[in-house]
Amino acid sequence: MSIALISSLYRWEAHAPAFTAALLSFAQRVSESGIAVQYLPIVNDASRRERDCIERLSAKINRRAIGRMSPQYVPRESLYASWNRALRLTDAHYFAPWNADDIRHAGAFIAGYRALEAGAELVDFPFTQRRRSRFFRLVPRERRRQLPCRFERGRFTRANGLSAFFMASAALYQRLGPFDANFQVAGDTEWASRAFGGARFQAGAELGGEFLLHGGNLSNTGREREDIEVNIIFLRRRRWQQLVPANPAKMRAAWEGWGNPAGAGLPAAVADFLWGAGALRRWQRWQRERRQPPALRRLRLALAARGLIHSIEWSLAQGEHRF
Protein backbone atom coordinates (compact mmCIF):
# COMPACT_ATOMS: atom_id res chain seq x y z
CA MET A 1 0.00 0.00 0.00
CA SER A 2 1.16 3.55 -0.75
CA ILE A 3 -0.05 5.32 2.40
CA ALA A 4 -1.38 4.26 5.79
CA LEU A 5 -4.25 6.10 7.47
CA ILE A 6 -3.89 5.40 11.17
CA SER A 7 -6.54 5.84 13.86
CA SER A 8 -6.45 5.34 17.61
CA LEU A 9 -10.02 4.63 18.68
CA TYR A 10 -11.19 4.69 22.29
CA ARG A 11 -14.79 5.18 23.44
CA TRP A 12 -15.64 6.46 19.98
CA GLU A 13 -19.15 5.06 19.66
CA ALA A 14 -20.81 8.49 19.73
CA HIS A 15 -18.78 9.51 16.67
CA ALA A 16 -19.16 6.19 14.83
CA PRO A 17 -22.03 7.15 12.46
CA ALA A 18 -20.32 10.31 11.18
CA PHE A 19 -16.87 8.71 11.14
CA THR A 20 -17.87 5.59 9.21
CA ALA A 21 -19.95 7.50 6.66
CA ALA A 22 -17.16 10.00 6.09
CA LEU A 23 -14.51 7.30 5.80
CA LEU A 24 -16.50 5.28 3.24
CA SER A 25 -17.05 8.34 1.06
CA PHE A 26 -13.41 9.34 1.46
CA ALA A 27 -12.16 5.85 0.59
CA GLN A 28 -14.27 5.73 -2.55
CA ARG A 29 -12.94 9.05 -3.86
CA VAL A 30 -9.31 8.37 -2.95
CA SER A 31 -9.49 4.92 -4.54
CA GLU A 32 -10.80 6.48 -7.75
CA SER A 33 -7.72 8.71 -7.80
CA GLY A 34 -5.50 5.62 -7.94
CA ILE A 35 -4.01 5.94 -4.43
CA ALA A 36 -3.75 2.66 -2.52
CA VAL A 37 -4.60 3.25 1.16
CA GLN A 38 -4.15 0.95 4.12
CA TYR A 39 -6.60 1.83 6.91
CA LEU A 40 -5.19 0.84 10.30
CA PRO A 41 -7.60 1.49 13.17
CA ILE A 42 -6.12 0.55 16.55
CA VAL A 43 -9.20 -0.05 18.69
CA ASN A 44 -8.53 0.42 22.39
CA ASP A 45 -10.52 -1.59 24.94
CA ALA A 46 -13.31 -2.09 22.41
CA SER A 47 -16.89 -2.59 23.50
CA ARG A 48 -18.96 -5.17 21.65
CA ARG A 49 -20.76 -2.47 19.68
CA GLU A 50 -17.49 -0.74 18.77
CA ARG A 51 -16.00 -4.02 17.56
CA ASP A 52 -19.09 -4.81 15.49
CA CYS A 53 -19.05 -1.31 13.98
CA ILE A 54 -15.42 -1.46 12.91
CA GLU A 55 -15.81 -5.00 11.57
CA ARG A 56 -18.75 -3.90 9.40
CA LEU A 57 -16.76 -0.92 8.15
CA SER A 58 -13.75 -3.14 7.39
CA ALA A 59 -15.91 -5.59 5.46
CA LYS A 60 -17.32 -2.79 3.28
CA ILE A 61 -13.91 -1.27 2.57
CA ASN A 62 -12.35 -4.61 1.70
CA ARG A 63 -15.31 -5.99 -0.25
CA ARG A 64 -15.57 -2.88 -2.42
CA ALA A 65 -11.78 -2.90 -2.96
CA ILE A 66 -11.53 0.81 -2.09
CA GLY A 67 -8.58 0.25 0.21
CA ARG A 68 -7.58 -2.31 2.76
CA MET A 69 -8.64 -2.10 6.40
CA SER A 70 -6.94 -4.16 9.09
CA PRO A 71 -8.29 -3.34 12.55
CA GLN A 72 -6.23 -4.24 15.60
CA TYR A 73 -7.76 -4.71 19.05
CA VAL A 74 -5.62 -3.80 22.05
CA PRO A 75 -6.02 -2.94 25.75
CA ARG A 76 -6.19 0.76 26.46
CA GLU A 77 -2.97 2.61 25.61
CA SER A 78 -2.05 6.20 24.81
CA LEU A 79 -2.99 7.69 21.46
CA TYR A 80 0.66 7.88 20.46
CA ALA A 81 1.39 4.31 21.50
CA SER A 82 -1.38 3.30 19.11
CA TRP A 83 0.09 5.43 16.32
CA ASN A 84 3.48 3.80 16.84
CA ARG A 85 1.84 0.39 16.86
CA ALA A 86 0.09 1.10 13.56
CA LEU A 87 3.31 2.30 11.95
CA ARG A 88 5.10 -0.88 13.00
CA LEU A 89 2.41 -2.85 11.17
CA THR A 90 2.73 -1.14 7.80
CA ASP A 91 5.34 -0.84 5.10
CA ALA A 92 3.57 2.11 3.46
CA HIS A 93 5.79 4.95 2.26
CA TYR A 94 3.62 7.63 3.89
CA PHE A 95 1.16 7.96 6.76
CA ALA A 96 -1.53 10.28 8.10
CA PRO A 97 -3.75 10.20 11.21
CA TRP A 98 -7.53 10.29 11.32
CA ASN A 99 -9.27 10.89 14.65
CA ALA A 100 -12.81 9.54 14.95
CA ASP A 101 -14.25 12.94 15.91
CA ASP A 102 -12.74 14.70 12.87
CA ILE A 103 -13.55 14.61 9.16
CA ARG A 104 -10.77 14.43 6.57
CA HIS A 105 -11.28 15.97 3.12
CA ALA A 106 -10.31 13.67 0.26
CA GLY A 107 -9.22 16.50 -2.06
CA ALA A 108 -6.61 17.80 0.38
CA PHE A 109 -5.45 14.25 1.12
CA ILE A 110 -4.91 13.56 -2.58
CA ALA A 111 -3.02 16.84 -2.99
CA GLY A 112 -0.92 16.02 0.08
CA TYR A 113 -0.10 12.58 -1.25
CA ARG A 114 1.10 14.08 -4.51
CA ALA A 115 3.25 16.57 -2.60
CA LEU A 116 4.85 13.68 -0.67
CA GLU A 117 5.43 11.80 -3.93
CA ALA A 118 7.12 14.93 -5.30
CA GLY A 119 9.62 15.04 -2.43
CA ALA A 120 7.98 16.67 0.57
CA GLU A 121 8.45 14.86 3.90
CA LEU A 122 5.75 16.67 5.86
CA VAL A 123 2.53 18.27 4.61
CA ASP A 124 -0.11 20.16 6.56
CA PHE A 125 -3.21 22.14 5.72
CA PRO A 126 -5.55 24.90 6.84
CA PHE A 127 -8.71 23.47 8.32
CA THR A 128 -12.20 24.22 9.58
CA GLN A 129 -12.74 24.31 13.33
CA ARG A 130 -16.26 23.41 14.47
CA ARG A 131 -17.05 24.37 18.07
CA ARG A 132 -20.17 22.96 19.68
CA SER A 133 -21.74 24.66 22.67
CA ARG A 134 -25.12 25.53 24.13
CA PHE A 135 -26.64 29.02 24.03
CA PHE A 136 -27.64 29.91 27.60
CA ARG A 137 -26.79 26.25 28.36
CA LEU A 138 -29.99 25.15 26.62
CA VAL A 139 -29.97 25.62 22.84
CA PRO A 140 -27.27 23.66 21.00
CA ARG A 141 -25.28 25.64 18.48
CA GLU A 142 -22.16 25.22 16.36
CA ARG A 143 -19.68 27.86 15.28
CA ARG A 144 -17.35 27.32 12.34
CA ARG A 145 -14.16 29.16 11.45
CA GLN A 146 -11.25 28.51 9.16
CA LEU A 147 -7.79 28.33 10.68
CA PRO A 148 -4.56 28.63 8.70
CA CYS A 149 -1.81 26.06 8.42
CA ARG A 150 0.15 26.58 11.66
CA PHE A 151 3.47 24.87 10.95
CA GLU A 152 6.26 27.35 10.15
CA ARG A 153 9.62 25.99 9.08
CA GLY A 154 12.36 26.97 11.52
CA ARG A 155 10.05 28.67 14.03
CA PHE A 156 8.54 26.74 16.91
CA THR A 157 6.15 28.32 19.43
CA ARG A 158 3.01 27.23 21.26
CA ALA A 159 0.96 28.49 18.31
CA ASN A 160 2.50 26.68 15.38
CA GLY A 161 2.46 22.91 15.69
CA LEU A 162 0.72 20.42 13.41
CA SER A 163 -2.99 20.17 12.75
CA ALA A 164 -4.96 16.94 13.00
CA PHE A 165 -4.69 16.64 9.20
CA PHE A 166 -0.94 16.43 8.65
CA MET A 167 0.68 13.83 6.40
CA ALA A 168 4.28 12.59 6.58
CA SER A 169 6.73 10.17 5.02
CA ALA A 170 7.81 6.94 6.68
CA ALA A 171 11.40 8.06 6.06
CA LEU A 172 10.84 11.16 8.22
CA TYR A 173 9.31 9.00 10.95
CA GLN A 174 12.38 6.77 10.90
CA ARG A 175 14.69 9.77 11.06
CA LEU A 176 12.87 11.59 13.88
CA GLY A 177 11.99 8.47 15.84
CA PRO A 178 8.60 7.31 17.13
CA PHE A 179 6.01 9.40 18.90
CA ASP A 180 6.69 9.66 22.64
CA ALA A 181 4.04 7.37 24.13
CA ASN A 182 4.36 9.06 27.54
CA PHE A 183 2.35 11.95 26.11
CA GLN A 184 -1.42 11.65 26.24
CA VAL A 185 -2.35 14.96 24.58
CA ALA A 186 0.55 16.69 22.82
CA GLY A 187 2.65 13.85 21.42
CA ASP A 188 2.13 15.06 17.85
CA THR A 189 3.37 18.52 18.86
CA GLU A 190 6.44 16.98 20.53
CA TRP A 191 7.15 14.94 17.39
CA ALA A 192 6.68 18.04 15.22
CA SER A 193 9.17 19.92 17.40
CA ARG A 194 11.86 17.53 16.17
CA ALA A 195 10.96 18.32 12.55
CA PHE A 196 11.34 22.11 12.74
CA GLY A 197 14.24 23.28 10.63
CA GLY A 198 15.02 19.84 9.24
CA ALA A 199 11.99 18.43 7.40
CA ARG A 200 11.07 19.21 3.81
CA PHE A 201 7.74 20.82 4.56
CA GLN A 202 4.94 21.89 2.23
CA ALA A 203 1.79 23.75 3.20
CA GLY A 204 -1.32 22.61 1.35
CA ALA A 205 -3.75 25.11 -0.12
CA GLU A 206 -6.95 23.11 0.37
CA LEU A 207 -8.80 22.68 3.66
CA GLY A 208 -7.52 19.49 5.27
CA GLY A 209 -10.74 18.71 7.07
CA GLU A 210 -13.07 19.59 9.92
CA PHE A 211 -11.80 19.58 13.50
CA LEU A 212 -14.63 19.23 15.99
CA LEU A 213 -14.34 20.82 19.43
CA HIS A 214 -17.02 19.15 21.52
CA GLY A 215 -15.59 19.41 25.04
CA GLY A 216 -14.30 15.87 25.24
CA ASN A 217 -11.25 16.36 23.03
CA LEU A 218 -7.81 15.41 24.25
CA SER A 219 -6.38 18.76 23.14
CA ASN A 220 -7.55 22.36 22.79
CA THR A 221 -9.59 22.18 25.99
CA GLY A 222 -7.37 24.05 28.46
CA ARG A 223 -7.01 20.95 30.65
CA GLU A 224 -4.18 20.64 33.17
CA ARG A 225 -2.52 17.78 31.31
CA GLU A 226 -2.22 19.72 28.05
CA ASP A 227 -0.42 22.66 29.68
CA ILE A 228 1.94 20.27 31.48
CA GLU A 229 2.80 18.33 28.33
CA VAL A 230 3.37 21.41 26.17
CA ASN A 231 5.56 22.88 28.91
CA ILE A 232 7.61 19.66 28.87
CA ILE A 233 8.15 20.03 25.13
CA PHE A 234 9.62 23.51 25.62
CA LEU A 235 11.58 22.50 28.71
CA ARG A 236 13.27 19.78 26.65
CA ARG A 237 14.14 22.36 24.01
CA ARG A 238 15.16 24.94 26.65
CA ARG A 239 12.70 27.46 25.26
CA TRP A 240 11.80 29.07 28.58
CA GLN A 241 9.80 31.98 27.14
CA GLN A 242 7.14 29.57 25.86
CA LEU A 243 6.28 28.28 29.34
CA VAL A 244 2.94 28.99 31.01
CA PRO A 245 1.76 28.39 34.59
CA ALA A 246 0.66 24.81 35.26
CA ASN A 247 -0.44 22.82 38.28
CA PRO A 248 2.85 23.02 40.22
CA ALA A 249 2.76 19.61 41.92
CA LYS A 250 1.71 17.76 38.77
CA MET A 251 4.12 19.75 36.61
CA ARG A 252 7.07 18.83 38.79
CA ALA A 253 5.98 15.18 39.06
CA ALA A 254 5.65 14.86 35.29
CA TRP A 255 8.99 16.54 34.57
CA GLU A 256 10.89 14.52 37.14
CA GLY A 257 8.96 11.30 36.49
CA TRP A 258 8.93 10.93 32.69
CA GLY A 259 9.37 14.31 31.02
CA ASN A 260 13.13 14.62 31.48
CA PRO A 261 14.71 11.42 30.14
CA ALA A 262 18.03 13.19 29.55
CA GLY A 263 18.23 14.28 33.19
CA ALA A 264 18.73 17.91 32.18
CA GLY A 265 18.89 20.47 34.97
CA LEU A 266 16.74 23.58 34.97
CA PRO A 267 17.77 27.14 35.81
CA ALA A 268 16.62 28.04 39.30
CA ALA A 269 14.37 30.82 37.96
CA VAL A 270 12.56 28.39 35.64
CA ALA A 271 11.96 25.84 38.41
CA ASP A 272 10.76 28.64 40.68
CA PHE A 273 8.30 29.86 38.02
CA LEU A 274 6.84 26.37 37.55
CA TRP A 275 6.76 24.99 41.10
CA GLY A 276 8.34 27.52 43.44
CA ALA A 277 6.76 29.43 46.31
CA GLY A 278 4.44 31.61 44.21
CA ALA A 279 3.65 29.06 41.49
CA LEU A 280 0.36 27.79 42.92
CA ARG A 281 -1.15 31.25 43.26
CA ARG A 282 0.10 32.20 39.77
CA TRP A 283 -1.43 29.08 38.23
CA GLN A 284 -4.76 29.59 40.01
CA ARG A 285 -4.97 33.16 38.73
CA TRP A 286 -4.01 31.98 35.24
CA GLN A 287 -6.87 29.48 35.36
CA ARG A 288 -9.38 32.15 36.42
CA GLU A 289 -8.28 34.41 33.57
CA ARG A 290 -8.67 31.65 31.00
CA ARG A 291 -12.25 30.97 32.09
CA GLN A 292 -13.34 34.58 31.55
CA PRO A 293 -15.75 35.27 28.66
CA PRO A 294 -14.27 37.13 25.65
CA ALA A 295 -15.69 40.55 26.53
CA LEU A 296 -14.29 40.44 30.07
CA ARG A 297 -10.94 39.17 28.74
CA ARG A 298 -10.67 42.14 26.37
CA LEU A 299 -11.45 44.54 29.22
CA ARG A 300 -8.87 42.87 31.47
CA LEU A 301 -6.14 43.07 28.84
CA ALA A 302 -6.97 46.71 28.09
CA LEU A 303 -6.69 47.61 31.77
CA ALA A 304 -3.49 45.60 32.15
CA ALA A 305 -1.96 47.39 29.15
CA ARG A 306 -2.56 50.68 30.97
CA GLY A 307 -1.01 49.37 34.16
CA LEU A 308 -4.28 49.55 36.07
CA ILE A 309 -4.47 45.85 36.99
CA HIS A 310 -2.18 42.84 36.95
CA SER A 311 -2.85 40.06 34.42
CA ILE A 312 -0.86 36.83 34.11
CA GLU A 313 -1.76 36.59 30.42
CA TRP A 314 -0.56 40.14 29.78
CA SER A 315 2.65 39.67 31.71
CA LEU A 316 3.44 36.48 29.77
CA ALA A 317 2.77 38.21 26.45
CA GLN A 318 5.07 41.09 27.43
CA GLY A 319 7.88 38.74 28.39
CA GLU A 320 7.93 39.87 32.00
CA HIS A 321 8.91 36.36 33.14
CA ARG A 322 12.43 36.34 31.72
CA PHE A 323 14.81 33.54 32.57
Side-chain angles (χ1 to χ4, degrees), residues 46 55 75 129 152 154 165 186 192 217 230-231 236 281 306 312 316:
E55 289 294 336
Q129 181 192 83
E152 295 183 31
F165 308 103
N217 308 74
V230 176
N231 273 350
R236 288 180 178 180
R281 186 177 305 163
R306 291 166 173 77
I312 297 295
L316 290 172

Side-chain angles (χ1 to χ4, degrees), residues 191-208:
W191 190 80
S193 75
R194 305 178 225 161
F196 278 90
R200 295 191 299 275
F201 172 72
Q202 182 168 323
E206 299 188 45
L207 291 174

Side-chain angles (χ1 to χ4, degrees), residues 180-301:
D180 188 331
N182 290 302
F183 285 80
Q184 298 176 13
V185 181
D188 50 344
T189 302
E190 191 280 327
W191 190 80
S193 75
R194 305 178 225 161
F196 278 90
R200 295 191 299 275
F201 172 72
Q202 182 168 323
E206 299 188 45
L207 291 174
E210 299 179 9
F211 178 81
L212 176 62
L213 275 175
H214 48 75
N217 308 74
L218 285 176
S219 61
N220 294 278
T221 59
R223 293 179 178 174
E224 288 183 11
R225 179 79 186 197
E226 185 171 8
D227 283 338
I228 289 167
E229 290 191 7
V230 176
N231 273 350
I232 284 173
I233 294 168
F234 288 106
L235 288 171
R236 288 180 178 180
R237 297 178 67 83
R238 305 184 76 79
R239 296 287 301 277
W240 319 128
Q241 294 306 318
Q242 297 297 323
L243 301 175
V244 299
N247 182 307
K250 293 181 180 179
M251 181 74 245
R252 184 170 190 173
W255 175 247
E256 295 178 350
W258 60 267
N260 184 23
L266 296 179
V270 172
D272 185 66
F273 173 78
L274 291 173
W275 52 72
L280 179 60
R281 186 177 305 163
R282 185 183 305 114
W283 170 67
Q284 290 171 336
R285 183 162 186 165
W286 169 244
Q287 291 297 97
R288 289 195 298 272
E289 289 187 5
R290 296 170 87 182
R291 289 192 292 267
Q292 289 177 337
L296 188 56
R297 174 178 178 266
R298 289 193 294 270
L299 175 61
R300 170 174 49 80
L301 292 176

